Amino acid sequence: MKRFIVLFFLAACFPLAPNAAAAPQSYFYPFVNPYEATVMELPRNFEVRLPEKVPSREFTLKVFPAREIPPAFWYEDGLVCTLAYQNHRAPLVFIIAGTGASHNTPRMVKLRSALYQGGFHVISLTSPTHMDFVVNASSGLPGDPLDDARDLYRVMEMAYDAVRDTIDVSGFDLAGYSLGAFNAAFVARLDEEEKRFNFSKVLLINPPVSLYESVAALDQLLVENVPQGMEQFDAWFRSVFAEFSHVSREVGPGSLSGDFIYSAYKRFPPNEENLAALIGLSFRMSAANMIFTADVMNGGGYIVPRNARLTATSSLTRYATVSLHTRFTDYFDEWFFPNRRHREPSLTRQALLARMSLRSQEAYLRNADKVGLIHNEDDIILAPGDIDYLQGVFGGRARLFPTGGHMGNMFHPDVVSFMIDFLAGKER
Amino acid sequence: MGTVLARIKLLLVILAALLPAAGCSSLPQAVPAGALPLRTYEDVVKEGMSPMFEVDDSLEGFNRGVYRFNYYFDEFLFRPVVRTYETIMPDYAEERVSSAIDNIGEVGNLANNLLQLKFKAAGITVSRFVINSTVGVAGLWDPAGAWGLRRQPEDFGQTLGRYGVGNGSYLVLPVLGPSNVRDTTGLAVDSAAFTLAGPAAWVDNAAITAAYTGTSAVDRRHRIPFRYRQTGSPFEYELLRMLYTMKREDDVAN
């Protein structure tokens, strides 16, 4: 979803194009504005070279075989994962997708190729916030990192069981990006107790420190950058669409590839507010998808009437509108926190917020030599002070890049080298 | 002319005629009375707002049924055929096929540019057709495009829109996907014209016309990057409906 929306409208919305300043030393990244860095797809010649084709296959897990899927989700038929396999003995890396992303979004496909090229078997997992996971594999409401970690761990065990006879595995690693990295920290900790995989290495790529603060910040990007405020959201969206159509006509037909967007970027001076608002919108849409799906799967009451019978032909339009106009913070305060407190009556809002932060895992992360970090100093999901905090916790296991925004530089050759070296235990 | 194309045309005409009747079936009642959720539509949508997801869709129950049919059709028949085509054909050959089909389509573009009195665009279209049919070897290549003569695509749905005909209800067509009543009418007229007076009539060979129809269907799907479920959204139907409608409004305006 995220990519779908962002790529679709990107061409219309570039900020005032600054010339890429010379970056220090060998690391060079063409987008120094963090919003640009976050959404711009790198032109091919800035990216690491990846194999065109990787031996891989999809497989489907029935995580809760007795679960009845509501007819509104008629297209859901189990949780799909992807395995990329070596034809020799190799370590297996599980990779967890970011917010609202599935096992086969383009970013996951590239990450899989990069790790395959680095010599690993790879199992790609859909984010616990993606509707496929919520419908097929969540045990309750998504968003509680402890529950999400248990749900992911269950899926990982089943996924390995499903493929273990076809691959020769020498050990296990774990990686994730963005929210998937945050999930990975909690899964790594859980694995210390459960010991099913005994991960050798765990790599966190651009995680948030506080989940709540990060999503609130992303939502603010939308709220603060729609001209005349959210009351005018729909009018703004229509105008962005019209602008997009204009640019794609001017630039000429082209798929929404990095090269196409880059050429649009060079030709049309863009607008920073629109770009920030679109990042916020793509996040808001991911949240809307998750909130609606979780509500239906848990019997309704928040956006959908309790016990509503939604069939394959029911109109969801009004729910779509309500979901899109719901902030993650509304969901947290109005539905998620009361729901958690119902389960744990002594839970306070503060305690739940603390649980939704990497700080709750600090004692573990500080001493876990197996856990490494890649991050960018200008990542837009971080709050002031977060980078220093992460540097302090991870020390020499952190590799921080000066630019790159939120995962914009994920396939920069330097970033990929660090990933592979760290997971292979060859970090310097 | 018992061609596949003619049958598609017939299907479209029948659909256009039958759909208003099918639309009478009401949508399943989604909201049980007296069980309001915490956040309601009325809380969110204030007066004067026109939510972007809302499009005239008086046939929604029917449309969602067809949407589901299309999902399965695409998943289990259409895409496998297209994948086979993509496997067999080198990319270069696929591009030649697309180019040749676009060239044949210039006839429809010309007619609709003329109907909309867009004489400059009509002139470009004629030039493109002549250049690409000759220098471009029956349209297999697009030298005209390389010389700056861009395609001027227009269809009868746009022509109707140009003369003030409204969208009518959104309509999901079997196999063909998103449309609306106006564009479906336009499609039927374009198809009829192609069959009765256009290239299909000039050739007047059922086998060739059928081969063309099949190839152009595969080529069209090959060129549409859309994959069902790739949005990862439970609101994919709403998203497609909104984007289709905005796109067509833009096409008509330009």
Side-chain angles (χ1 to χ4, degrees), chain A residues 198-225:
Chain A
N198 284 311
F199 294 118
S200 309
K201 292 285 178 184
V202 177
L203 179 61
L204 316 184
I205 305 164
N206 294 57
V209 172
S210 157
L211 197 50
Y212 185 90
E213 280 175 30
S214 288
V215 296
L218 284 169
D219 204 75
Q220 275 312 103
L221 288 181
L222 177 66
V223 174
E224 286 174 359
N225 288 293

Short mmCIF file of all heavy atoms in Angstrom, two decimals, chain A residues 198-225:
data_model
loop_
_atom_site.label_atom_id
_atom_site.label_comp_id
_atom_site.label_asym_id
_atom_site.label_seq_id
_atom_site.Cartn_x
_atom_site.Cartn_y
_atom_site.Cartn_z
N ASN A 198 17.81 -20.18 18.53
CA ASN A 198 19.12 -19.73 19.00
C ASN A 198 19.82 -18.88 17.95
O ASN A 198 20.90 -19.24 17.44
CB ASN A 198 20.01 -20.94 19.34
CG ASN A 198 19.58 -21.55 20.66
OD1 ASN A 198 19.42 -20.86 21.66
ND2 ASN A 198 19.35 -22.86 20.64
N PHE A 199 19.22 -17.77 17.62
CA PHE A 199 19.75 -16.93 16.54
C PHE A 199 21.22 -16.60 16.76
O PHE A 199 21.62 -16.25 17.88
CB PHE A 199 18.97 -15.63 16.45
CG PHE A 199 17.55 -15.83 16.04
CD1 PHE A 199 16.51 -15.48 16.88
CD2 PHE A 199 17.25 -16.39 14.80
CE1 PHE A 199 15.19 -15.68 16.50
CE2 PHE A 199 15.94 -16.58 14.41
CZ PHE A 199 14.91 -16.23 15.26
N SER A 200 22.01 -16.72 15.70
CA SER A 200 23.42 -16.33 15.79
C SER A 200 23.55 -14.82 15.71
O SER A 200 24.34 -14.21 16.42
CB SER A 200 24.22 -16.94 14.64
OG SER A 200 23.98 -18.30 14.54
N LYS A 201 22.78 -14.23 14.78
CA LYS A 201 22.85 -12.79 14.57
C LYS A 201 21.45 -12.24 14.37
O LYS A 201 20.60 -12.90 13.74
CB LYS A 201 23.67 -12.47 13.31
CG LYS A 201 25.15 -12.80 13.44
CD LYS A 201 25.86 -11.78 14.30
CE LYS A 201 27.34 -12.14 14.48
NZ LYS A 201 28.00 -11.21 15.39
N VAL A 202 21.24 -11.03 14.87
CA VAL A 202 19.95 -10.36 14.68
C VAL A 202 20.26 -8.93 14.22
O VAL A 202 21.00 -8.22 14.89
CB VAL A 202 19.13 -10.31 15.99
CG1 VAL A 202 17.82 -9.55 15.78
CG2 VAL A 202 18.87 -11.73 16.50
N LEU A 203 19.72 -8.54 13.06
CA LEU A 203 20.04 -7.22 12.52
C LEU A 203 18.79 -6.35 12.47
O LEU A 203 17.79 -6.72 11.85
CB LEU A 203 20.64 -7.37 11.11
CG LEU A 203 21.01 -6.06 10.42
CD1 LEU A 203 22.08 -5.30 11.22
CD2 LEU A 203 21.51 -6.32 9.01
N LEU A 204 18.88 -5.18 13.12
CA LEU A 204 17.76 -4.25 13.12
C LEU A 204 18.06 -3.12 12.13
O LEU A 204 19.06 -2.41 12.30
CB LEU A 204 17.55 -3.66 14.52
CG LEU A 204 17.62 -4.63 15.72
CD1 LEU A 204 17.29 -3.88 17.02
CD2 LEU A 204 16.67 -5.81 15.55
N ILE A 205 17.23 -2.97 11.12
CA ILE A 205 17.47 -1.95 10.10
C ILE A 205 16.44 -0.83 10.29
O ILE A 205 15.24 -1.04 10.11
CB ILE A 205 17.34 -2.56 8.69
CG1 ILE A 205 18.28 -3.76 8.54
CG2 ILE A 205 17.62 -1.51 7.62
CD1 ILE A 205 17.96 -4.65 7.34
N ASN A 206 16.91 0.35 10.66
CA ASN A 206 16.06 1.54 10.86
C ASN A 206 14.83 1.31 11.75
O ASN A 206 13.70 1.62 11.34
CB ASN A 206 15.61 2.11 9.51
CG ASN A 206 16.74 2.67 8.69
OD1 ASN A 206 17.70 1.95 8.40
ND2 ASN A 206 16.65 3.92 8.33
N PRO A 207 15.01 0.78 12.95
CA PRO A 207 13.85 0.63 13.82
C PRO A 207 13.43 1.95 14.47
O PRO A 207 14.27 2.84 14.61
CB PRO A 207 14.36 -0.32 14.91
CG PRO A 207 15.82 0.00 15.00
CD PRO A 207 16.26 0.34 13.60
N PRO A 208 12.17 2.09 14.85
CA PRO A 208 11.79 3.21 15.71
C PRO A 208 12.29 2.90 17.12
O PRO A 208 12.50 1.74 17.45
CB PRO A 208 10.27 3.19 15.68
CG PRO A 208 9.90 1.77 15.39
CD PRO A 208 11.03 1.21 14.54
N VAL A 209 12.48 3.94 17.93
CA VAL A 209 12.78 3.68 19.35
C VAL A 209 11.46 3.54 20.09
O VAL A 209 11.17 2.52 20.68
CB VAL A 209 13.65 4.80 19.95
CG1 VAL A 209 13.79 4.62 21.46
CG2 VAL A 209 15.03 4.79 19.29
N SER A 210 10.61 4.58 19.99
CA SER A 210 9.28 4.47 20.57
C SER A 210 8.28 4.33 19.44
O SER A 210 8.18 5.20 18.57
CB SER A 210 8.94 5.72 21.39
OG SER A 210 7.54 5.85 21.49
N LEU A 211 7.54 3.24 19.45
CA LEU A 211 6.57 3.00 18.40
C LEU A 211 5.53 4.11 18.36
O LEU A 211 5.19 4.65 17.30
CB LEU A 211 5.89 1.65 18.69
CG LEU A 211 5.14 0.98 17.58
CD1 LEU A 211 5.99 0.90 16.34
CD2 LEU A 211 4.73 -0.43 18.02
N TYR A 212 5.04 4.47 19.53
CA TYR A 212 3.99 5.47 19.61
C TYR A 212 4.47 6.82 19.08
O TYR A 212 3.81 7.47 18.28
CB TYR A 212 3.51 5.59 21.06
CG TYR A 212 2.35 6.52 21.25
CD1 TYR A 212 1.04 6.06 21.18
CD2 TYR A 212 2.55 7.87 21.53
CE1 TYR A 212 -0.04 6.91 21.36
CE2 TYR A 212 1.49 8.73 21.71
CZ TYR A 212 0.19 8.26 21.62
OH TYR A 212 -0.87 9.10 21.79
N GLU A 213 5.67 7.22 19.52
CA GLU A 213 6.19 8.52 19.08
C GLU A 213 6.44 8.52 17.57
O GLU A 213 6.18 9.51 16.89
CB GLU A 213 7.49 8.86 19.81
CG GLU A 213 7.27 9.40 21.20
CD GLU A 213 8.57 9.63 21.95
OE1 GLU A 213 9.60 9.92 21.31
OE2 GLU A 213 8.55 9.51 23.18
N SER A 214 6.93 7.41 17.05
CA SER A 214 7.21 7.36 15.60
C SER A 214 5.93 7.47 14.79
O SER A 214 5.86 8.23 13.82
CB SER A 214 7.91 6.06 15.24
OG SER A 214 9.21 6.08 15.70
N VAL A 215 4.92 6.71 15.18
CA VAL A 215 3.69 6.75 14.37
C VAL A 215 2.97 8.08 14.55
O VAL A 215 2.38 8.61 13.61
CB VAL A 215 2.75 5.56 14.66
CG1 VAL A 215 3.41 4.27 14.28
CG2 VAL A 215 2.30 5.53 16.09
N ALA A 216 3.10 8.66 15.76
CA ALA A 216 2.48 9.98 15.96
C ALA A 216 3.18 11.01 15.07
O ALA A 216 2.53 11.87 14.47
CB ALA A 216 2.55 10.37 17.43
N ALA A 217 4.52 10.88 14.97
CA ALA A 217 5.27 11.83 14.13
C ALA A 217 4.90 11.68 12.66
O ALA A 217 4.74 12.67 11.94
CB ALA A 217 6.77 11.61 14.32
N LEU A 218 4.75 10.43 12.21
CA LEU A 218 4.39 10.20 10.81
C LEU A 218 2.99 10.76 10.54
O LEU A 218 2.73 11.36 9.50
CB LEU A 218 4.42 8.70 10.49
CG LEU A 218 5.81 8.11 10.33
CD1 LEU A 218 5.75 6.59 10.29
CD2 LEU A 218 6.47 8.63 9.06
N ASP A 219 2.10 10.58 11.48
CA ASP A 219 0.75 11.09 11.29
C ASP A 219 0.75 12.62 11.26
O ASP A 219 0.01 13.23 10.48
CB ASP A 219 -0.16 10.58 12.42
CG ASP A 219 -1.60 10.59 11.98
OD1 ASP A 219 -1.97 9.70 11.20
OD2 ASP A 219 -2.34 11.51 12.37
N GLN A 220 1.62 13.22 12.09
CA GLN A 220 1.71 14.68 12.08
C GLN A 220 2.12 15.21 10.71
O GLN A 220 1.72 16.29 10.31
CB GLN A 220 2.74 15.17 13.11
CG GLN A 220 2.23 15.32 14.52
CD GLN A 220 0.91 16.09 14.61
OE1 GLN A 220 -0.14 15.48 14.79
NE2 GLN A 220 0.95 17.41 14.49
N LEU A 221 2.94 14.44 10.00
CA LEU A 221 3.37 14.88 8.67
C LEU A 221 2.16 15.12 7.78
O LEU A 221 2.12 16.06 6.97
CB LEU A 221 4.27 13.83 8.00
CG LEU A 221 5.68 13.66 8.56
CD1 LEU A 221 6.42 12.60 7.76
CD2 LEU A 221 6.43 14.98 8.51
N LEU A 222 1.16 14.26 7.92
CA LEU A 222 -0.05 14.44 7.12
C LEU A 222 -0.85 15.61 7.64
O LEU A 222 -1.20 16.54 6.90
CB LEU A 222 -0.89 13.15 7.18
CG LEU A 222 -2.23 13.22 6.45
CD1 LEU A 222 -2.03 13.36 4.96
CD2 LEU A 222 -3.06 11.96 6.73
N VAL A 223 -1.12 15.58 8.94
CA VAL A 223 -2.01 16.59 9.53
C VAL A 223 -1.47 18.00 9.33
O VAL A 223 -2.22 18.94 9.07
CB VAL A 223 -2.18 16.27 11.03
CG1 VAL A 223 -2.98 17.34 11.73
CG2 VAL A 223 -2.85 14.91 11.20
N GLU A 224 -0.14 18.15 9.45
CA GLU A 224 0.42 19.50 9.40
C GLU A 224 0.68 20.00 7.99
O GLU A 224 0.92 21.18 7.79
CB GLU A 224 1.75 19.54 10.18
CG GLU A 224 1.53 19.50 11.67
CD GLU A 224 2.84 19.40 12.45
OE1 GLU A 224 3.91 19.34 11.80
OE2 GLU A 224 2.76 19.35 13.68
N ASN A 225 0.68 19.09 7.03
CA ASN A 225 1.09 19.52 5.69
C ASN A 225 -0.02 19.55 4.65
O ASN A 225 0.22 19.91 3.49
CB ASN A 225 2.25 18.67 5.20
CG ASN A 225 3.53 18.99 5.95
OD1 ASN A 225 4.07 20.08 5.82
ND2 ASN A 225 3.98 18.06 6.77
#
